[in-house]
Amino acid sequence: MRVLVVGNGGREHALAWKFLQSPQVQQVVCVPGNGGTASLKNCRNLALSVDDFEGIARYALVNNIGMIVVGPELPLSLGITDFLKAQDLKVFGPTQEGAQIESSKAWAKDLMREAAIPTARAEVFTDADSAIVYIRAQGAPIVIKADGLAAGKGVTVATSLEQAENAVTACFSGQFGKAGSQVVIEECLQGQEVSILAVTDGLTIRPLLPAQDHKRIGENDTGENTGGMGAYAPAPIATPEIMQRIQTEILEPAIRALRDRNIDYRGVLYAGLMITPEGDPKVIEFNCRFGDPETQAILPLLETPLEKLLYACTQRKLADFPEIEWKSGAATCVVIASEGYPGNHPKGLAVSGIAAAEETGAAVFHAGTQMKNNQIVTDGGRVFSVTAIGETFDQSIENAYRGVERIQFEGMYYRRDIAYRVKGK
Ligand code: AMP
Ligand code: GLY
């Protein structure tokens, strides 16, 4: 099979890398891909943008692409799946209607209410005045969310009323464009977060290994929010008992509620959860795609051929698919970022040491790089995600950092405490 992967991050590099481990996959084409996918054997980049649906369809039809896997939320929310399916292509990723579970937080809240899925109490507002009255009645801490896609910047966990009111004013001031025309205000949940990426064919849903990520830029989970500075799997907080509850209280009701709305959802349903101090799983948000960098921590542990699993989802055959198999042990993924990230950062800096990092046994997934004149250069805020596996978390952490330390470029930054919560496990 030939697989086309849409996207250009570390997640897409990890997907391409995993597909190519299967003897059934002859080639992977990445649109547009990055320096890492350009260097991968049997993988090539295609210089189209992720919203050039016509170009992607034409390429896929002419080149006998067996399956298209969509990484980022943006093309999904713009209807890439609807467009490609109308041309009889096989797509792993939900339709535009299904992608609303991520692209509209108000829509997702409504679905959760309908399906009685445990989540933070919330209200939706379309004007600042009534939102502020509500905030004053509720008190802080409180969480303010722009309704639509805001590139990870639309959420404020406010610890004071002033901060909450400023966040509401910012949303309605047009800072997030249309994404901020509705604001969701919700109860602040306490506990530990866990990411459950589940694959579904719209009827059956099966979770991958639970993962945890580190969203803050600084050590001890401090400082600004980022796209994710590292991740690890399998997260021990999600015990088999909690996983069972997640399946019956969250994943299955979500799929049923989507079906009740006549939504044919085939792809990843990613549940971002809080495990409360009482041990109850509650939904913080749903995403309509693989998580980044969780995917880079999860896929290296997968034994089941990825293309078979995802293809079964596109064919509505997940119920008949054998149990998903995993390697024993643990995986840790450390993100290397550019100086200044998540703020302004330079691009185009030469990178060395990638081959030496790979020689340690770590997988070096490129997140923001480009190949220029046979030299890998930086091309984004998050530049690499380096993953290693080990029999224990401690081993996987040590192996991942051994890889990270081989890589060099000017101003590179990484957290030295990734997976601190699972040290000794
Ligand atoms: P989201 O974009 O919805 O994932 O939110 C980004 C981050 O904000 C989450 O990963 C949480 O750390 C935090 N967050 C969002 N909603 C809540 C909530 N209701 N209670 C506590 N923290 C939250
Ligand atoms: N790691 C968070 C996300 O993919 O949204």
Side-chain angles (χ1 to χ4, degrees):
M1 185 195 280
R2 304 174 79 196
V3 181
L4 188 146
V5 174
V6 177
N8 68 348
R11 163 183 57 201
E12 287 77 17
H13 186 180
L15 285 164
W17 170 86
K18 194 70 203 179
F19 281 131
L20 287 166
Q21 287 179 358
S22 167
Q24 309 294 323
V25 175
Q26 293 108 15
Q27 193 194 26
V28 173
V29 178
C30 291
V31 177
N34 60 33
T37 53
S39 324
L40 206 52
K41 188 163 173 268
N42 296 328
C43 186
R44 59 161 297 208
N45 289 349
L46 182 63
L48 294 176
S49 80
V50 300
D51 59 3
D52 182 358
F53 301 165
E54 239 164 76
I56 294 171
R58 204 172 317 121
Y59 181 90
L61 289 167
V62 171
N63 292 281
N64 197 23
I65 295 291
M67 176 167 60
I68 299 168
V69 177
V70 185
E73 62 277 17
L74 189 69
L76 291 168
S77 72
L78 294 174
I80 189 170
T81 299
D82 310 69
F83 187 92
L84 298 173
K85 269 192 173 168
Q87 319 234 6
D88 271 342
L89 290 160
K90 308 274 185 294
V91 189
F92 182 82
T95 58
Q96 185 168 30
E97 264 196 301
Q100 287 178 94
I101 203 154
E102 175 166 2
S103 67
S104 169
K105 292 186 192 289
W107 191 90
K109 275 287 174 191
D110 196 48
L111 182 121
M112 285 188 255
R113 199 171 306 136
E114 194 180 292
I117 292 172
T119 183
R121 224 174 339 101
E123 293 286 337
V124 181
F125 295 91
T126 51
D127 71 283
D129 290 345
S130 37
I132 287 173
V133 169
Y134 178 78
I135 286 171
R136 289 186 183 158
Q138 296 293 314
I142 193 157
V143 182
I144 317 298
K145 300 182 172 185
D147 175 62
L149 297 180
K153 297 197 166 64
V155 176
T156 304
V157 180
T159 48
S160 68
L161 283 182
E162 190 192 355
Q163 201 189 357
E165 291 177 22
N166 287 343
V168 165
T169 313
C171 275
F172 286 116
S173 73
Q175 182 182 339
F176 302 118
K178 232 181 101 228
S181 60
Q182 288 194 93
V183 169
V184 178
I185 300 187
E186 62 182 44
E187 162 199 12
C188 187
L189 299 171
Q190 307 296 329
Q192 251 196 71
E193 285 181 55
V194 62
S195 303
I196 305 296
L197 280 53
V199 295
T200 178
D201 63 0
L203 299 172
T204 302
I205 183 157
R206 297 211 199 154
L208 304 181
L209 290 181
Q212 284 185 294
D213 73 350
H214 293 272
K215 291 213 168 77
R216 304 299 190 98
I217 187 75
E219 279 155 23
N220 297 315
D221 296 320
T222 54
E224 273 188 273
N225 255 323
T226 71
M229 294 303 293
Y232 49 96
I237 176 124
T239 59
E241 189 205 338
I242 290 184
M243 286 303 284
Q244 187 54 48
R245 288 188 56 192
I246 292 170
Q247 179 72 15
T248 54
E249 295 172 25
I250 294 169
L251 300 177
E252 286 172 1
I255 286 303
R256 266 198 305 274
L258 287 163
R259 214 166 54 233
D260 288 346
R261 295 181 178 206
N262 283 323
I263 293 174
D264 181 4
Y265 195 109
R266 308 183 194 193
V268 170
L269 181 65
Y270 161 159
L273 307 177
M274 191 72 92
I275 310 295
T276 66
E278 296 76 40
D280 297 322
K282 289 193 176 179
V283 176
I284 294 176
E285 60 162 357
F286 281 120
N287 292 319
C288 64
R289 51 166 177 88
F290 284 100
D292 188 336
E294 291 95 324
T295 301
Q296 294 92 304
I298 293 170
L299 291 184
L301 293 168
L302 180 68
E303 289 276 17
T304 297
L306 181 63
E307 87 288 357
K308 288 200 174 134
L309 176 62
L310 304 195
Y311 193 75
C313 292
T314 70
Q315 299 304 99
R316 285 231 144 148
K317 292 264 167 61
L318 190 57
D320 307 329
F321 197 80
E323 199 173 323
I324 303 174
E325 287 182 40
W326 300 98
K327 291 186 180 36
S328 65
T332 298
C333 167
V334 178
V335 168
I336 307 180
S338 298
E339 185 172 19
Y341 176 77
N344 290 337
H345 49 265
K347 283 188 182 178
L349 302 172
V351 181
S352 63
I354 297 171
E358 285 169 339
E359 275 165 24
T360 68
V364 180
F365 300 121
H366 296 222
T369 70
Q370 250 191 18
M371 179 83 91
K372 267 207 175 142
N373 307 322
N374 268 333
Q375 162 73 49
I376 295 287
V377 299
T378 67
D379 190 40
R382 290 188 295 171
V383 183
F384 295 101
S385 33
V386 178
T387 301
I389 59 179
E391 269 313 308
T392 61
F393 271 109
D394 286 358
Q395 281 167 10
S396 73
I397 295 168
E398 196 183 317
N399 294 342
Y401 280 104
R402 196 178 312 129
V404 167
E405 282 156 12
R406 300 287 193 285
I407 293 179
Q408 285 173 351
F409 61 88
E410 195 188 318
M412 70 181 247
Y413 169 78
Y414 58 91
R415 277 179 57 171
R416 285 155 210 273
D417 67 342
I418 297 303
Y420 69 84
R421 276 202 203 88
V422 291
K423 278 226 161 121
K425 295 200 176 162

